[in-house]
Amino acid sequence: MCGIVGYTGAQNAKEILLEGLKKLEYRGYDSAGLALVHPGTLKVVKGTGEINKLEEKINGDGKDSFAGIGHTRWATHGRPTDENAHPHYSCCQNFAIVHNGIIENYQQLRQWLEGEGHKFRSETDTEILAHLVEHYYQGELVEAVRQAVSFVEGSYAMVAVAAGEGDHLVCARKDSPLVIGLGEEENFIASDIPALLAHTRRVYILEDEEMASVTSSGVQLFNLQGDSVSREVFEVKWDAVEAERGGYPHFMLKEIMEQPTAVRETLRGRVDAQTGEVSLSELKLSSKEIESLAKIHIVACGTAYHAGVVGRYAFEKMLKIPVEVELASEFRYREPLLSPHDLVIVISQSGETADTLAALRLAKQQGVKVLAITNVVGSTVSREADDVIFTWAGPEIAVASTKAYLTQLVVLYLLSIGFAFIRQTGEEETFATYGRSLLDIPDKIDQILETKSLQKMQDYAAKLAGSENAFFIGRNLDFAVAMEGSLKLKEISYIHAEAYAAGELKHGTLALITSGVPVIALATQEHVLEKTISNVQEVKARDGDILIVTLKGNEQVENHAQQVYYLPEIEDLLAPLLAAVPLQLISYYAAETRGCPIDKPRNLAKSVTVE
Ligand code: F6R
């Protein structure tokens, strides 16, 4: 989730590009850079830090440049360093590239290009593109970019400039957004509409596997076969603030809607669609170490802890070894008993949570390996852990975590399936089926996010918004999801919510169930479905208002509740990946009805770096 800008026209390119990058700062960044076109040469200035730092670095340079590209980086491959900042240029420094996305086959391509004599300066996947363009350039930048991207597996939104092509910019996209802003004798490129709004509201939205040749005097669109493509101009009606949120009223809703993409990105290159095998080659943990694991401790805070609770069920089912899940704030003060063959997994979206970091350090002091699951490359957790596996959710801006949670679940499933293949703890075909089913998750989330389904959540939430208390119940994995559902509801709508293991209700909490008290019952787990339904009956007998969230095919629950919401069919083990989504939506719409400040709930911060 980096930010891209490009400009070609009669104005000073540096000013326009810097201003565009500032408009993309809300996406989060760790470094930034520009490539400015001067006659016969390119000037690349880049480095870590804020746009202001870049501005100081450029200082008086670039006054006579009228075309160029710019980038704010949110690190994926390679830490946030000056060398890894974009733009990247080729060996001869005549080509510069900015890129957003992940190139899966970059290691193979790098090996091949190094064999051809190319010298690399960074650890990034992006630099491949600069060398590929140089390799295929025979006087036509469009053709060189077309050839370059044809070798790339993965996702990209990229823009290239060449020293020898004057004001010419060439861009291409696959699975990562790119828009072209249309001006008078000037044109713009950006990853996001906010970067364009100061100049134009007329845009072409580039589709997947399309590219464009952009000069000050015109824009031509092509597909990757080189055939020209025509496109209607899209008039942007959003104001600047709406545009930052992609037209959504809140970042939280935008991030909920981004979940199919976030999950797809997190799965990218990690599951073989044919064999269902999970590739964990990015881990330093050896197969031998995985085989000899005796116990797993999962440690995290808040939503990340709730992801860990799902992880426990998955690991225990797949690996048949004991798993403990613990709140980092408790673990660090508990003198935990860790053994050399244990693995501690810390989960942290930000990678900066003080308690999680302290737990990580404690485990390391005791000589136990720590594997981090985090969303932020270069974060303290990612640097201090022995091993790290990233969620590719992109920057999460709303305080309430949504897409980070879902991608944490994805990584936990990947680890449990991948480890199970290595440890041979069951039938390979069973693991393979789970692996393949993970790849279907993005489309199933898309179904949940369809308008009709959203309307159901909205209607239910409108009713829930009038309550001061709500209960979430479930058994097994459903209990884990219930915990996250209740946290989401209380933190953004301020409705008091509690999650209970459904079997526990009758041990005390049932006293709180009176007429009309909302109870959301998660019922996706076939082997405990009947048990859950009998707990639902206990609520019904006290006139509680029940919503059952279950999988399609479980229509026998229909008569037990006032409302039933059916999720697309999926293996029970993977159901949390779907069940969490309607709960996020219910919380969001309830908070909206109550007029709460959804993206910044009272008393909360996105990253908790204090105890
Ligand atoms: C709730 C939420 C928090 C975080 C928690 C840990 O929506 O976002 O509960 O999950 O503060 O944060 P990270 O994952 O950054 O360590």
Side-chain angles (χ1 to χ4, degrees):
M1 288 275 284
C2 308
I4 287 178
V5 288
Y7 174 73
T8 170
Q11 301 189 60
N12 180 291
K14 176 181 82 174
E15 300 299 334
I16 305 252
L17 295 172
L18 286 171
E19 174 205 355
L21 290 182
K22 284 181 188 165
K23 292 278 186 277
L24 300 180
E25 275 183 314
Y26 70 95
R27 296 165 62 103
Y29 56 85
D30 49 57
S31 44
L34 296 185
L36 298 168
V37 182
H38 293 272
T41 157
L42 298 178
K43 168 108 189 146
V44 175
V45 186
K46 60 182 185 168
T48 54
E50 299 176 6
I51 314 290
N52 289 345
K53 203 167 151 199
L54 175 68
E55 216 164 358
E56 281 164 26
K57 229 176 181 172
I58 298 178
N59 201 1
D61 283 353
K63 285 198 192 90
D64 52 351
S65 171
F66 303 100
I69 54 180
H71 190 267
T72 53
R73 179 166 188 252
W74 166 265
T76 54
H77 285 92
R79 293 154 299 139
T81 60
D82 289 353
E83 292 72 32
N84 290 340
H86 298 215
H88 288 281
Y89 42 91
S90 61
C91 297
C92 64
Q93 305 199 3
N94 281 343
F95 304 93
I97 308 281
V98 289
H99 162 238
N100 189 3
I102 297 175
I103 298 174
E104 288 164 24
N105 56 340
Y106 84 103
Q107 265 157 338
Q108 288 133 272
L109 290 173
R110 182 168 174 152
Q111 240 170 21
W112 170 65
L113 285 161
E114 280 173 341
E116 295 285 313
H118 288 261
K119 297 268 179 291
F120 282 74
R121 302 176 183 90
S122 75
E123 304 160 330
T124 65
D125 51 345
T126 300
E127 196 182 338
I128 296 291
L129 287 168
H131 294 280
L132 280 174
V133 168
E134 178 178 277
H135 190 83
Y136 288 107
Y137 187 76
Q138 289 189 331
E140 279 190 40
L141 187 58
V142 172
E143 186 51 24
V145 169
R146 197 178 73 78
Q147 296 250 32
V149 295
S150 72
F151 287 91
V152 165
E153 286 165 21
S155 59
Y156 54 81
M158 56 90 71
V159 193
V161 283
E165 297 229 354
D167 71 345
H168 193 190
L169 314 179
V170 176
C171 60
R173 78 156 269 187
K174 179 172 172 269
D175 292 341
S176 194
L178 209 54
V179 287
I180 298 164
L182 307 171
E184 295 295 326
E185 293 303 311
E186 60 181 356
N187 290 301
F188 308 82
I189 299 174
S191 52
D192 302 81
I193 286 171
L196 303 176
L197 286 186
H199 308 284
T200 181
R201 288 180 168 272
R202 302 176 65 241
V203 303
Y204 285 140
I205 297 178
L206 212 59
E207 301 282 350
D208 267 349
E209 308 206 4
E210 284 183 355
M211 48 188 295
S213 161
V214 181
T215 62
S216 56
S217 54
V219 175
Q220 285 175 288
L221 306 186
F222 309 92
N223 60 24
L224 291 190
Q225 288 67 50
D227 309 320
S228 85
V229 167
S230 62
R231 174 78 16 89
E232 274 191 32
V233 174
F234 176 76
E235 290 278 347
V236 181
K237 301 247 162 37
W238 307 328
D239 64 30
V241 181
E242 269 176 322
E244 282 190 2
R245 303 187 204 112
Y248 292 104
H250 298 98
F251 279 111
M252 184 179 175
L253 188 57
K254 174 174 181 267
E255 287 161 5
I256 291 173
M257 295 299 181
E258 281 170 357
Q259 290 183 117
T261 307
V263 169
R264 215 170 267 127
E265 287 302 313
T266 302
L267 289 169
R268 192 179 288 286
R270 289 170 168 165
V271 184
D272 185 312
Q274 252 75 51
T275 65
E277 272 182 54
V278 169
S279 159
L280 297 175
S281 54
E282 64 206 282
L283 293 186
K284 289 190 208 133
L285 269 181
S286 65
S287 296
K288 217 164 153 218
E289 285 170 313
I290 293 169
E291 273 164 16
S292 60
L293 281 182
K295 185 172 181 178
I296 296 176
H297 306 256
I298 305 178
V299 188
C301 299
T303 288
Y305 166 76
H306 294 152
V309 180
V310 173
R312 173 174 60 198
Y313 287 99
F315 281 124
E316 286 187 342
K317 184 176 169 74
M318 304 291 277
L319 305 183
K320 318 278 185 247
I321 55 170
V323 181
E324 278 187 26
V325 197
E326 191 152 354
L327 293 164
S329 53
E330 290 296 313
F331 180 87
R332 60 180 293 195
Y333 293 116
R334 190 177 56 87
E335 300 183 23
L337 299 174
L338 306 174
S339 308
H341 287 299
D342 291 359
L343 175 68
V344 171
I345 299 181
V346 295
I347 310 174
S348 174
Q349 186 283 130
S350 62
E352 302 296 346
T353 300
D355 284 321
T356 309
L357 201 50
L360 178 159
R361 288 174 183 157
L362 176 69
K364 280 188 75 176
Q365 266 164 23
Q366 296 201 19
V368 175
K369 283 251 157 82
V370 179
L371 164 62
I373 300 177
T374 180
N375 195 35
V376 182
V377 177
S379 58
T380 314
V381 162
S382 77
R383 284 185 279 112
E384 293 198 14
D386 299 293
D387 219 340
V388 57
I389 177 161
F390 291 103
T391 51
W392 299 128
E396 193 176 61
I397 292 165
V399 164
S401 185
T402 52
K403 60 178 183 169
Y405 169 74
L406 228 53
T407 53
Q408 286 161 357
L409 296 190
V410 169
V411 167
L412 287 160
Y413 283 119
L414 287 171
L415 291 173
S416 61
I417 300 167
F419 286 5
F421 268 112
I422 293 169
R423 292 170 63 98
Q424 299 181 337
T425 42
E427 294 284 323
E428 284 213 347
E429 192 39 42
T430 311
F431 308 147
T433 306
Y434 287 132
R436 284 189 289 263
S437 292
L438 279 177
L439 297 175
D440 296 333
I441 294 289
D443 289 346
K444 296 191 180 198
I445 301 174
D446 267 328
Q447 289 170 33
I448 300 172
L449 297 177
E450 277 168 8
T451 322
K452 218 169 83 197
S453 172
L454 293 184
Q455 189 59 51
K456 275 193 179 165
M457 296 299 106
Q458 222 162 343
D459 294 345
Y460 176 75
K463 201 167 68 157
L464 180 67
S467 305
E468 282 313 315
N469 296 291
F471 294 91
F472 290 75
I473 60 170
R475 285 171 179 258
N476 199 268
L477 280 162
D478 287 329
F479 174 43
V481 178
M483 292 164 89
E484 174 57 7
S486 95
L487 174 62
K488 220 72 319 164
L489 185 64
K490 64 187 138 198
E491 74 177 316
I492 59 164
S493 75
Y494 313 149
I495 296 172
H496 170 241
E498 296 298 336
Y500 283 94
E504 272 294 297
L505 268 190
K506 55 185 168 299
H507 296 289
T509 311
L510 203 53
L512 295 175
I513 307 295
T514 53
S515 176
V517 169
V519 176
I520 298 175
L522 281 295
T524 65
Q525 301 298 303
E526 175 71 33
H527 68 296
V528 285
L529 191 61
E530 285 199 1
K531 300 278 173 213
T532 305
I533 292 305
S534 53
N535 302 131
V536 165
Q537 287 296 351
E538 294 160 8
V539 174
K540 203 173 174 197
R542 275 94 194 159
D543 285 334
D545 183 69
I546 305 158
L547 165 68
I548 294 181
V549 177
T550 190
L551 299 175
K552 268 196 193 117
N554 288 337
E555 280 74 11
Q556 71 268 33
V557 305
E558 192 75 38
N559 298 328
H560 298 287
Q562 287 86 340
Q563 300 100 169
V564 180
Y565 181 80
Y566 292 101
L567 300 162
E569 277 176 278
I570 187 83
E571 285 87 352
D572 290 4
L573 180 69
L574 305 182
L577 287 164
L578 303 183
V581 181
L583 304 190
Q584 296 166 344
L585 288 164
I586 287 171
S587 302
Y588 173 79
Y589 289 127
E592 192 191 36
T593 309
R594 288 165 72 99
C596 297
I598 293 178
D599 285 336
K600 290 190 178 153
R602 68 182 174 216
N603 309 339
L604 299 180
K606 184 68 187 157
S607 179
V608 186
T609 52
V610 290
E611 274 196 59

